[in-house]
Amino acid sequence: MEVLEMNEQELKKVAMEKYTSIQRIKKYGQEELEYQERILKAELQMLGVSTEELELTK
């Protein structure tokens, strides 16, 4: 299994994307939250990561 490492610039980019997403959620509320969740689920699925076990139960 190949281990991929992120360099400092890549880590900064990921952190900035997370921060930006949070700011958009704060401004646009539930609709933006649901949109961000759909996008992230699709990205994780493309990477072969299942999100089913990560879901919070109500």
Side-chain angles (χ1 to χ4, degrees), residues 29-43:
Q30 188 65 31
E31 185 178 347
E32 180 66 21
L33 176 62
E34 291 168 3
Y35 175 71
Q36 291 287 335
E37 183 179 36
R38 284 193 311 270
I39 291 171
L40 187 52
K41 278 184 174 182
E43 289 176 359

Side-chain angles (χ1 to χ4, degrees), residues 11-41:
L11 290 171
K12 286 179 182 179
K13 182 178 183 286
V14 169
M16 181 59 78
E17 288 171 353
K18 288 179 182 181
Y19 183 81
T20 302
S21 293
I22 290 170
Q23 295 303 307
R24 289 175 56 106
I25 291 166
K26 284 170 64 175
K27 182 170 184 174
Y28 299 110
Q30 188 65 31
E31 185 178 347
E32 180 66 21
L33 176 62
E34 291 168 3
Y35 175 71
Q36 291 287 335
E37 183 179 36
R38 284 193 311 270
I39 291 171
L40 187 52
K41 278 184 174 182

